[in-house]
Amino acid sequence: GSGSGDGLSGPGHFNIMVVESVHASFQGPQLKRYSIVGEVRLIPLSASSPEVDFCFRFDGEKAGLVKAATPNAKFTEPIGEAGHDSSASSEAAFRVHVPPRSGEGASAGRAPI
């Protein structure tokens, strides 16, 4: 094929969905406290998909504002910047492994991962 060699050419097997919820308390017009809760999901585009491995991290100047990350231990493990365990939210990095899906069985639908 004419792919660029970056592993990203060709049809995709997942959509990535990011959901953020903002919770805020006001006293009159003044904001008293707030929190933002976010979630990242992989949505399979079909009942069958190949094995997928990738890493991601919180990046940028706002990364230090992340107070807690709770990865799905079935698919995700925390890693540090150099591949070592890290609990510092400003250095929060994760390795994701999604096993192949065969399209068989009761849970083979398009449920989020």
Side-chain angles (χ1 to χ4, degrees):
S2 61
S4 64
D6 61 7
L8 299 176
S9 58
H13 297 281
F14 298 93
N15 278 338
I16 296 177
M17 180 173 66
V18 178
V19 178
E20 291 185 337
S21 300
V22 178
H23 305 272
S25 296
F26 292 88
Q27 185 172 21
Q30 186 172 4
L31 177 66
K32 288 298 184 183
R33 60 179 180 252
Y34 72 95
S35 67
I36 301 171
V37 177
E39 182 176 331
V40 178
R41 292 183 183 186
L42 290 178
I43 308 295
L45 297 177
S46 68
S48 297
S49 59
E51 179 177 59
V52 177
D53 289 291
F54 63 93
C55 296
F56 72 94
R57 67 185 172 111
F58 296 110
D59 199 5
E61 63 185 53
K62 303 291 184 191
L65 297 175
V66 176
K67 294 210 185 329
T70 309
N72 181 337
K74 184 175 177 181
F75 302 106
T76 310
E77 67 176 323
I79 58 173
E81 291 298 313
H84 303 288
D85 288 340
S86 173
S87 59
S89 60
S90 63
E91 298 178 9
F94 302 91
R95 179 176 294 118
V96 179
H97 173 79
V98 180
R101 294 165 45 110
S102 66
E104 300 172 2
S107 63
R110 292 180 47 185
I113 295 174

XYZ file of all heavy atoms in Angstrom:
818
model
N 0.818 -1.182 0.000
C 0.000 0.000 0.000
C 0.861 1.244 0.000
O 2.077 1.199 -0.046
N 0.213 2.361 0.040
C 0.916 3.643 0.014
C 0.939 4.298 1.384
O 0.989 5.510 1.499
C 0.252 4.579 -1.009
O -1.089 4.815 -0.630
N 0.877 3.476 2.444
C 0.871 4.018 3.801
C 2.154 4.747 4.120
O 3.192 4.533 3.518
N 2.092 5.623 5.105
C 3.242 6.448 5.471
C 4.211 5.727 6.398
O 5.241 6.267 6.740
C 2.757 7.739 6.127
O 2.087 7.424 7.340
N 3.876 4.516 6.828
C 4.769 3.784 7.707
C 4.601 4.131 9.177
O 5.327 3.657 10.018
N 3.601 4.956 9.508
C 3.399 5.341 10.906
C 2.437 4.416 11.636
O 2.135 4.631 12.790
C 2.925 6.793 10.999
C 1.595 7.033 10.288
O 0.964 6.056 9.830
O 1.195 8.207 10.190
N 1.938 3.378 10.965
C 1.005 2.454 11.602
C -0.394 2.988 11.683
O -1.273 2.356 12.246
N -0.661 4.157 11.133
C -1.977 4.767 11.241
C -2.756 4.756 9.932
O -3.866 5.237 9.882
C -1.850 6.221 11.732
C -1.204 6.381 13.098
C -1.041 7.856 13.434
C -2.000 5.676 14.169
N -2.175 4.240 8.862
C -2.873 4.235 7.589
C -3.872 3.085 7.556
O -3.776 2.141 8.316
C -1.869 4.116 6.434
O -1.117 2.935 6.587
N -4.826 3.152 6.668
C -5.831 2.121 6.539
C -7.027 2.413 7.418
O -7.068 3.397 8.147
N -8.032 1.527 7.339
C -9.262 1.755 8.116
C -9.022 1.583 9.608
O -8.176 0.789 10.017
C -10.215 0.686 7.584
C -9.316 -0.400 7.080
C -8.075 0.307 6.565
N -9.751 2.322 10.400
C -9.634 2.203 11.845
C -10.507 1.092 12.378
O -11.447 0.646 11.721
N -10.203 0.624 13.563
C -10.973 -0.432 14.195
C -11.717 0.069 15.431
O -12.557 -0.640 15.967
C -10.049 -1.588 14.578
C -9.408 -2.229 13.396
N -10.052 -3.130 12.589
C -8.175 -2.060 12.856
C -9.246 -3.505 11.608
N -8.101 -2.870 11.754
N -11.369 1.280 15.891
C -11.983 1.844 17.092
C -12.253 3.326 16.885
O -11.551 3.991 16.130
C -11.038 1.725 18.306
C -10.688 0.320 18.680
C -9.556 -0.289 18.175
C -11.498 -0.391 19.548
C -9.222 -1.585 18.524
C -11.173 -1.690 19.904
C -10.040 -2.285 19.381
N -13.254 3.833 17.561
C -13.415 5.274 17.762
C -12.981 5.551 19.186
O -13.140 4.701 20.069
C -14.874 5.716 17.588
C -15.252 5.923 16.143
O -14.404 6.135 15.289
N -16.538 5.835 15.869
N -12.448 6.730 19.430
C -12.108 7.153 20.781
C -13.146 8.167 21.216
O -13.403 9.138 20.506
C -10.697 7.760 20.847
C -9.659 6.705 20.486
C -10.431 8.333 22.243
C -8.253 7.219 20.442
N -13.762 7.926 22.355
C -14.776 8.828 22.893
C -14.245 9.428 24.189
O -13.783 8.698 25.072
C -16.083 8.083 23.165
C -17.173 8.982 23.725
S -18.788 8.195 23.872
C -18.490 6.965 25.119
N -14.285 10.743 24.293
C -13.873 11.453 25.501
C -15.107 12.144 26.063
O -15.781 12.896 25.347
C -12.772 12.488 25.204
C -12.405 13.246 26.453
C -11.552 11.813 24.589
N -15.407 11.889 27.328
C -16.559 12.486 27.992
C -16.053 13.238 29.212
O -15.289 12.691 30.005
C -17.578 11.408 28.435
C -18.746 12.032 29.173
C -18.053 10.587 27.245
N -16.446 14.485 29.359
C -16.093 15.266 30.542
C -17.361 15.800 31.189
O -18.259 16.280 30.497
C -15.178 16.431 30.182
C -13.803 15.981 29.747
C -12.858 17.145 29.496
O -13.338 18.264 29.243
O -11.648 16.916 29.566
N -17.426 15.709 32.501
C -18.543 16.248 33.281
C -17.999 17.301 34.229
O -16.998 17.066 34.902
C -19.226 15.143 34.099
O -19.720 14.137 33.259
N -18.666 18.423 34.304
C -18.270 19.505 35.202
C -19.280 19.576 36.338
O -20.491 19.639 36.101
C -18.212 20.861 34.454
C -17.859 21.984 35.412
C -17.233 20.788 33.295
N -18.780 19.547 37.560
C -19.605 19.669 38.762
C -19.187 20.972 39.443
O -18.011 21.162 39.736
C -19.380 18.482 39.699
C -19.613 17.165 39.030
N -20.851 16.572 38.976
C -18.762 16.340 38.359
C -20.754 15.431 38.316
N -19.491 15.273 37.936
N -20.150 21.855 39.687
C -19.819 23.165 40.260
C -20.819 23.545 41.343
O -21.993 23.220 41.259
C -19.817 24.219 39.159
N -20.303 24.249 42.367
C -21.140 24.800 43.432
C -20.976 26.316 43.430
O -19.860 26.834 43.389
C -20.706 24.262 44.800
O -20.906 22.880 44.875
N -22.105 26.998 43.472
C -22.107 28.460 43.475
C -22.777 28.969 44.742
O -23.656 28.332 45.296
C -22.896 28.995 42.272
C -22.248 28.721 40.952
C -22.485 27.546 40.270
C -21.399 29.668 40.385
C -21.885 27.301 39.048
C -20.798 29.435 39.159
C -21.046 28.243 38.485
N -22.364 30.151 45.161
C -23.071 30.901 46.187
C -23.405 32.216 45.515
O -22.521 33.064 45.326
C -22.225 31.112 47.423
C -22.992 31.790 48.547
C -22.176 31.810 49.830
O -20.950 31.696 49.816
N -22.862 31.954 50.946
N -24.662 32.340 45.105
C -25.025 33.482 44.273
C -24.272 33.372 42.958
O -24.162 32.288 42.390
N -23.687 34.472 42.492
C -22.948 34.409 41.227
C -21.501 33.910 41.374
O -20.800 33.749 40.387
C -22.962 35.860 40.742
C -23.003 36.649 42.012
C -23.849 35.843 42.970
N -21.061 33.658 42.629
C -19.669 33.290 42.854
C -19.471 31.773 42.865
O -20.168 31.039 43.563
C -19.185 33.873 44.179
C -17.715 33.663 44.412
C -17.229 34.423 45.641
O -17.991 35.052 46.352
N -15.937 34.340 45.880
N -18.488 31.323 42.107
C -18.113 29.912 42.078
C -17.385 29.570 43.371
O -16.407 30.211 43.732
C -17.207 29.635 40.868
C -16.668 28.217 40.734
C -17.795 27.222 40.474
C -15.634 28.156 39.627
N -17.876 28.578 44.106
C -17.253 28.179 45.372
C -16.283 27.010 45.193
O -15.217 26.991 45.770
C -18.318 27.803 46.402
C -19.070 29.005 46.913
C -18.099 29.919 47.596
C -18.785 31.100 48.226
N -17.848 32.021 48.839
N -16.668 26.007 44.416
C -15.771 24.886 44.124
C -16.268 24.184 42.864
O -17.421 24.308 42.476
C -15.652 23.926 45.291
C -16.896 23.297 45.727
C -16.658 22.333 46.892
N -17.957 21.787 47.204
C -18.658 22.077 48.273
N -18.127 22.814 49.214
N -19.840 21.592 48.442
N -15.331 23.454 42.269
C -15.691 22.721 41.063
C -14.796 21.496 40.915
O -13.736 21.388 41.524
C -15.568 23.609 39.820
C -14.145 23.916 39.433
C -13.486 23.140 38.485
C -13.444 24.953 40.036
C -12.166 23.415 38.137
C -12.132 25.229 39.690
C -11.507 24.454 38.745
O -10.207 24.718 38.406
N -15.238 20.583 40.103
C -14.413 19.432 39.711
C -14.826 19.039 38.299
O -15.952 19.275 37.873
C -14.585 18.253 40.670
O -15.885 17.713 40.581
N -13.878 18.481 37.596
C -14.131 17.996 36.250
C -13.723 16.539 36.223
O -12.613 16.185 36.620
C -13.333 18.794 35.206
C -13.709 20.272 35.282
C -13.561 18.228 33.805
C -12.834 21.176 34.446
N -14.632 15.699 35.789
C -14.382 14.267 35.709
C -14.411 13.880 34.238
O -15.345 14.247 33.521
C -15.444 13.471 36.498
C -15.224 11.971 36.353
C -15.447 13.882 37.957
N -13.372 13.188 33.793
C -13.300 12.791 32.396
C -13.156 11.298 32.245
O -12.707 10.592 33.151
N -13.557 10.826 31.091
C -13.466 9.405 30.781
C -13.071 9.250 29.318
O -13.553 9.987 28.464
C -14.825 8.754 31.028
C -14.867 7.283 30.803
C -16.220 6.696 31.166
O -16.904 7.230 32.049
O -16.591 5.692 30.545
N -12.191 8.311 29.044
C -11.779 7.998 27.680
C -12.182 6.554 27.414
O -11.870 5.659 28.208
C -10.259 8.158 27.489
C -9.841 7.779 26.079
C -9.822 9.573 27.826
N -12.892 6.322 26.297
C -13.320 4.972 25.936
C -12.903 4.649 24.507
O -12.926 5.513 23.643
C -14.842 4.844 25.991
C -15.435 4.941 27.353
C -16.912 4.716 27.276
N -17.526 4.865 28.569
C -18.796 4.609 28.818
N -19.584 4.196 27.841
N -19.270 4.757 30.027
N -12.559 3.393 24.282
C -12.386 2.879 22.931
C -13.694 2.202 22.558
O -14.171 1.330 23.284
C -11.261 1.850 22.868
C -9.847 2.339 23.052
C -8.878 1.160 22.998
C -9.478 3.346 21.985
N -14.265 2.590 21.430
C -15.512 1.997 20.963
C -15.187 1.158 19.725
O -14.815 1.713 18.690
C -16.561 3.078 20.597
C -16.742 4.081 21.741
C -17.879 2.432 20.193
C -17.309 3.515 23.004
N -15.303 -0.171 19.809
C -15.029 -1.001 18.640
C -16.008 -0.679 17.512
O -17.192 -0.452 17.748
C -15.247 -2.428 19.145
C -15.194 -2.334 20.634
C -15.669 -0.958 20.981
N -15.515 -0.650 16.286
C -16.363 -0.365 15.134
C -17.019 -1.624 14.589
O -17.917 -1.533 13.748
C -15.549 0.336 14.043
C -14.997 1.703 14.436
C -14.141 2.274 13.318
C -16.122 2.658 14.794
N -16.586 -2.788 15.048
C -17.207 -4.048 14.646
C -17.004 -5.056 15.764
O -16.281 -4.802 16.719
C -16.605 -4.559 13.337
O -15.270 -4.947 13.535
N -17.639 -6.219 15.619
C -17.531 -7.255 16.647
C -16.152 -7.905 16.644
O -15.749 -8.513 17.631
C -18.617 -8.308 16.448
N -15.414 -7.781 15.549
C -14.061 -8.334 15.462
C -13.069 -7.197 15.308
O -13.311 -6.245 14.571
C -13.936 -9.258 14.255
O -14.786 -10.367 14.384
N -11.949 -7.291 16.007
C -10.912 -6.268 15.879
C -9.569 -6.892 16.235
O -9.502 -7.857 16.975
C -11.206 -5.069 16.786
O -11.281 -5.462 18.134
N -8.484 -6.328 15.687
C -7.156 -6.871 15.976
C -6.664 -6.459 17.359
O -7.222 -5.568 17.997
C -6.281 -6.238 14.891
C -6.934 -4.922 14.638
C -8.413 -5.190 14.770
N -5.596 -7.089 17.789
C -4.919 -6.701 19.029
C -4.375 -5.275 18.858
O -3.872 -4.923 17.797
C -3.787 -7.679 19.274
C -2.974 -7.392 20.502
C -1.918 -8.462 20.704
O -1.085 -8.655 19.810
O -1.958 -9.089 21.767
N -4.481 -4.474 19.905
C -4.009 -3.088 19.863
C -3.173 -2.819 21.108
O -3.582 -3.153 22.215
C -5.200 -2.101 19.819
C -4.717 -0.673 19.842
C -6.071 -2.345 18.603
N -2.004 -2.230 20.921
C -1.128 -1.814 22.023
C -0.714 -0.372 21.780
O -0.307 -0.039 20.661
C 0.130 -2.680 22.092
C -0.167 -4.076 22.570
O -0.514 -4.240 23.739
O -0.060 -4.994 21.748
N -0.832 0.474 22.794
C -0.371 1.851 22.681
C -0.169 2.433 24.070
O -0.602 1.859 25.064
C -1.338 2.719 21.862
C -2.716 2.865 22.463
C -3.021 3.936 23.293
C -3.704 1.940 22.184
C -4.276 4.081 23.840
C -4.975 2.086 22.732
C -5.263 3.158 23.557
N 0.526 3.549 24.131
C 0.749 4.275 25.379
C 0.213 5.686 25.222
O 0.167 6.224 24.119
C 2.233 4.343 25.717
S 2.972 2.735 26.048
N -0.218 6.272 26.332
C -0.619 7.673 26.329
C -0.241 8.287 27.662
O 0.021 7.592 28.633
C -2.108 7.853 26.023
C -3.038 7.440 27.141
C -3.485 8.374 28.059
C -3.456 6.127 27.270
C -4.339 8.004 29.083
C -4.306 5.745 28.292
C -4.746 6.688 29.203
N -0.186 9.608 27.691
C 0.091 10.315 28.945
C -0.642 11.642 28.941
O -1.009 12.165 27.897
C 1.585 10.528 29.136
C 2.196 11.481 28.144
C 3.707 11.530 28.342
N 4.303 12.281 27.282
C 4.869 13.470 27.435
N 4.934 14.026 28.621
N 5.398 14.089 26.413
N -0.850 12.167 30.126
C -1.392 13.511 30.269
C -0.253 14.469 29.962
O 0.846 14.322 30.469
C -1.935 13.744 31.683
C -3.100 12.847 32.001
C -2.972 11.831 32.921
C -4.317 13.025 31.369
C -4.039 11.006 33.216
C -5.395 12.198 31.648
C -5.246 11.181 32.580
N -0.497 15.438 29.126
C 0.565 16.295 28.629
C 0.137 17.750 28.727
O -1.036 18.061 28.821
C 0.879 15.937 27.170
C 2.239 16.430 26.724
O 2.992 16.957 27.557
O 2.538 16.283 25.538
N 1.109 18.630 28.676
C 0.820 20.055 28.662
C 0.813 20.664 30.044
O 0.972 19.979 31.059
N 0.603 21.959 30.081
C 0.675 22.688 31.357
C -0.438 22.324 32.317
O -0.308 22.488 33.517
C 0.665 24.193 31.092
C -0.612 24.698 30.437
C -0.548 26.165 30.084
O 0.414 26.560 29.408
O -1.459 26.892 30.506
N -1.547 21.788 31.827
C -2.671 21.427 32.700
C -2.543 20.017 33.283
O -3.338 19.613 34.107
C -4.000 21.530 31.941
C -4.282 22.885 31.347
C -4.550 23.906 32.416
C -4.927 25.230 31.759
N -4.960 26.319 32.663
N -1.536 19.253 32.871
C -1.378 17.881 33.351
C -1.239 17.823 34.865
O -1.703 16.882 35.494
C -0.180 17.226 32.682
N -0.624 18.820 35.468
C -0.461 18.855 36.917
C -1.759 19.028 37.676
O -1.821 18.794 38.874
N -2.832 19.407 36.985
C -4.136 19.565 37.622
C -4.879 18.241 37.772
O -5.887 18.183 38.455
C -5.000 20.547 36.819
C -4.452 21.972 36.726
C -5.334 22.823 35.815
C -4.338 22.603 38.097
N -4.376 17.175 37.151
C -5.009 15.865 37.271
C -4.719 15.338 38.662
O -3.567 15.125 39.029
C -4.484 14.889 36.193
C -5.073 13.502 36.406
C -4.783 15.415 34.802
N -5.769 15.147 39.454
C -5.596 14.713 40.829
C -5.597 13.194 40.961
O -4.978 12.651 41.852
C -6.690 15.317 41.696
C -6.605 16.832 41.801
C -7.142 17.281 43.118
C -7.229 18.751 43.329
N -6.372 19.655 42.766
N -6.323 12.511 40.098
C -6.395 11.057 40.179
C -6.752 10.497 38.814
O -7.515 11.098 38.083
C -7.442 10.627 41.197
N -6.171 9.359 38.517
C -6.525 8.626 37.310
C -6.788 7.186 37.727
O -6.023 6.608 38.492
C -5.397 8.685 36.293
N -7.881 6.639 37.263
C -8.256 5.278 37.611
C -8.384 4.469 36.327
O -9.449 4.389 35.743
C -9.589 5.259 38.394
O -9.503 6.174 39.471
C -9.886 3.875 38.921
N -7.282 3.900 35.872
C -7.354 3.130 34.626
C -8.060 1.793 34.827
O -8.070 1.248 35.931
C -5.891 2.916 34.258
C -5.156 3.004 35.549
C -5.933 3.959 36.401
N -8.659 1.292 33.766
C -9.274 -0.027 33.773
C -8.141 -1.054 33.804
O -7.431 -1.245 32.820
C -10.135 -0.196 32.522
C -10.829 -1.538 32.461
O -10.396 -2.500 33.081
N -11.903 -1.596 31.712
N -7.957 -1.726 34.933
C -6.831 -2.646 35.124
C -6.874 -3.836 34.169
O -5.860 -4.486 33.949
C -6.797 -3.137 36.569
N -8.027 -4.116 33.574
C -8.133 -5.220 32.618
C -7.359 -4.912 31.341
O -6.847 -5.803 30.685
C -9.604 -5.479 32.299
C -9.857 -6.650 31.394
C -11.340 -6.894 31.235
C -11.600 -8.036 30.261
N -13.025 -8.269 30.082
N -7.254 -3.614 30.972
C -6.632 -3.222 29.721
C -5.455 -2.257 29.884
O -4.707 -2.034 28.939
C -7.657 -2.545 28.799
C -8.838 -3.400 28.486
C -10.070 -3.137 29.070
C -8.740 -4.470 27.615
C -11.170 -3.920 28.774
C -9.835 -5.260 27.316
C -11.059 -4.987 27.901
N -5.309 -1.641 31.047
C -4.385 -0.516 31.202
C -3.511 -0.675 32.434
O -3.973 -1.131 33.473
C -5.204 0.796 31.338
O -6.147 0.848 30.280
C -4.323 2.011 31.278
N -2.232 -0.273 32.305
C -1.351 -0.253 33.465
C -0.608 1.080 33.491
O -0.203 1.598 32.451
C -0.361 -1.417 33.435
C 0.646 -1.349 32.322
C 1.665 -2.471 32.400
O 2.078 -2.862 33.511
O 2.052 -2.951 31.337
N -0.449 1.674 34.677
C 0.297 2.935 34.779
C 1.786 2.694 34.571
O 2.323 1.674 34.996
C 0.000 3.424 36.191
C -0.508 2.253 36.936
C -1.007 1.250 35.953
N 2.424 3.611 33.893
C 3.872 3.590 33.701
C 4.382 5.000 33.910
O 3.641 5.963 33.807
C 4.285 3.075 32.305
C 3.671 3.935 31.199
C 3.928 1.614 32.137
C 4.153 3.594 29.806
N 5.657 5.141 34.228
C 6.264 6.457 34.368
C 6.825 6.922 33.042
O 6.728 6.242 32.023
N 7.425 8.094 33.055
C 8.000 8.672 31.838
C 9.034 7.751 31.198
O 9.128 7.671 29.994
C 8.638 10.029 32.148
C 7.624 11.094 32.480
C 6.676 11.384 31.340
O 7.133 11.551 30.198
O 5.464 11.438 31.582
N 9.813 7.048 32.004
C 10.860 6.178 31.462
C 10.455 4.715 31.553
O 11.288 3.829 31.545
C 12.169 6.419 32.210
N 9.140 4.448 31.679
C 8.675 3.076 31.769
C 8.616 2.542 33.176
O 8.384 1.365 33.381
N 8.837 3.393 34.171
C 8.771 2.981 35.570
C 7.430 3.404 36.147
O 6.820 4.348 35.689
C 9.902 3.628 36.379
C 11.257 3.315 35.812
N 11.815 2.067 35.909
C 12.131 4.091 35.137
C 12.992 2.084 35.309
N 13.215 3.298 34.836
N 6.994 2.687 37.184
C 5.747 3.065 37.842
C 5.822 4.500 38.315
O 6.841 4.957 38.794
C 5.455 2.162 39.046
C 5.050 0.769 38.628
O 4.640 0.605 37.469
O 5.141 -0.150 39.460
N 4.703 5.204 38.172
C 4.670 6.605 38.586
C 3.303 6.928 39.137
O 2.307 6.605 38.533
C 4.962 7.519 37.386
O 4.768 8.858 37.751
N 3.256 7.549 40.311
C 1.976 7.961 40.862
C 1.800 9.463 40.790
O 0.750 9.975 41.121
C 1.854 7.492 42.317
O 2.906 8.055 43.084
N 2.805 10.182 40.339
C 2.700 11.637 40.205
C 1.813 11.956 39.015
O 2.087 11.549 37.903
C 4.081 12.257 40.013
N 0.700 12.662 39.259
C -0.266 12.899 38.196
C 0.313 13.690 37.044
O -0.088 13.514 35.908
C -1.513 13.590 38.756
O -1.166 14.823 39.342
N 1.295 14.567 37.293
C 1.866 15.350 36.205
C 2.725 14.490 35.285
O 3.081 14.900 34.203
C 2.688 16.521 36.746
O 3.776 16.033 37.497
N 3.063 13.291 35.738
C 3.833 12.363 34.919
C 3.019 11.124 34.581
O 3.574 10.118 34.160
C 5.100 11.938 35.667
C 6.035 13.075 35.975
C 7.241 12.599 36.769
O 7.419 11.381 36.924
O 7.988 13.458 37.228
N 1.696 11.168 34.774
C 0.858 9.992 34.578
C 0.906 9.536 33.135
O 0.546 10.261 32.224
C -0.574 10.287 35.006
N 1.401 8.320 32.944
C 1.452 7.701 31.629
C 0.900 6.293 31.770
O 0.991 5.676 32.836
C 2.887 7.675 31.106
N 0.321 5.784 30.698
C -0.355 4.497 30.755
C -0.048 3.668 29.518
O 0.073 4.204 28.418
C -1.870 4.693 30.867
C -2.256 5.490 32.068
C -2.374 6.869 31.994
C -2.471 4.874 33.283
C -2.704 7.614 33.105
C -2.797 5.616 34.405
C -2.919 6.989 34.314
N 0.073 2.374 29.707
C 0.212 1.417 28.608
C -1.129 0.702 28.486
O -1.672 0.225 29.482
C 1.317 0.417 28.904
C 1.509 -0.631 27.805
C 2.686 -1.554 28.085
N 3.930 -0.780 28.037
C 4.758 -0.622 29.063
N 4.481 -1.155 30.234
N 5.863 0.074 28.935
N -1.647 0.622 27.260
C -2.945 -0.007 26.998
C -2.728 -1.227 26.107
O -2.009 -1.153 25.107
C -3.908 0.983 26.304
C -5.247 0.320 25.999
C -4.105 2.230 27.155
N -3.333 -2.332 26.479
C -3.320 -3.539 25.657
C -4.757 -4.015 25.505
O -5.420 -4.324 26.495
C -2.485 -4.651 26.292
C -2.610 -5.946 25.543
N -1.920 -6.186 24.381
C -3.371 -7.039 25.774
C -2.262 -7.384 23.929
N -3.133 -7.926 24.763
N -5.247 -4.020 24.262
C -6.584 -4.524 23.970
C -6.398 -5.809 23.175
O -5.819 -5.789 22.088
C -7.409 -3.505 23.155
C -8.794 -4.063 22.867
C -7.508 -2.182 23.902
N -6.848 -6.947 23.730
C -6.683 -8.214 23.008
C -7.565 -8.252 21.758
O -8.521 -7.480 21.646
C -7.132 -9.264 24.035
C -7.985 -8.532 25.004
C -7.526 -7.099 25.003
N -7.251 -9.146 20.831
C -8.097 -9.249 19.635
C -9.497 -9.704 20.019
O -9.680 -10.414 21.008
C -7.384 -10.290 18.778
C -6.510 -11.049 19.708
C -6.182 -10.122 20.840
N -10.462 -9.265 19.233
C -11.858 -9.673 19.444
C -12.277 -10.485 18.233
O -12.103 -10.054 17.103
C -12.745 -8.451 19.621
C -12.422 -7.679 20.896
C -13.002 -6.288 20.942
N -14.361 -6.177 20.529
C -15.386 -5.917 21.346
N -15.160 -5.716 22.610
N -16.609 -5.826 20.896
N -12.876 -11.647 18.498
C -13.201 -12.566 17.420
C -14.607 -12.375 16.862
O -14.932 -12.924 15.820
C -13.049 -14.010 17.898
O -14.025 -14.287 18.885
N -15.459 -11.646 17.562
C -16.833 -11.477 17.096
C -17.745 -12.604 17.532
O -18.857 -12.712 17.077
N -17.255 -13.460 18.426
C -18.050 -14.581 18.905
C -18.396 -14.388 20.370
O -17.696 -13.714 21.096
C -17.279 -15.886 18.735
C -16.913 -16.176 17.296
C -15.992 -17.373 17.163
O -15.668 -17.992 18.197
O -15.591 -17.665 16.039
N -19.481 -14.982 20.793
C -19.854 -14.946 22.201
C -20.805 -13.808 22.521
O -21.035 -12.911 21.722
N -21.342 -13.842 23.725
C -22.362 -12.885 24.146
C -21.827 -11.483 24.273
O -22.545 -10.510 24.085
C -22.973 -13.327 25.483
N -20.530 -11.329 24.597
C -19.976 -9.991 24.816
C -19.225 -9.473 23.589
O -18.435 -8.550 23.692
C -19.025 -10.008 26.021
O -17.931 -10.851 25.754
N -19.460 -10.052 22.422
C -18.691 -9.693 21.239
C -19.272 -8.500 20.496
O -18.799 -8.169 19.424
C -18.609 -10.899 20.289
N -20.254 -7.847 21.031
C -20.861 -6.706 20.369
C -19.948 -5.500 20.335
O -18.742 -5.617 20.406
N -20.535 -4.307 20.256
C -19.745 -3.106 20.158
C -19.671 -2.369 21.487
O -19.661 -1.146 21.533
C -20.349 -2.200 19.071
C -20.183 -2.816 17.693
C -20.765 -1.962 16.636
N -20.333 -0.577 16.818
C -20.760 0.418 16.088
N -21.629 0.223 15.134
N -20.335 1.643 16.297
N -19.609 -3.097 22.579
C -19.537 -2.491 23.897
C -18.234 -1.728 24.057
O -17.213 -2.128 23.524
C -19.641 -3.567 24.976
N -18.244 -0.600 24.792
C -17.006 0.176 25.020
C -15.976 -0.652 25.769
O -16.298 -1.524 26.541
C -17.472 1.354 25.876
C -18.941 1.415 25.722
C -19.398 0.030 25.419
N -14.722 -0.315 25.519
C -13.609 -0.951 26.214
C -12.987 0.075 27.129
O -12.788 1.197 26.760
C -12.573 -1.470 25.203
C -13.214 -2.578 24.378
C -11.330 -1.958 25.897
C -12.350 -3.076 23.259
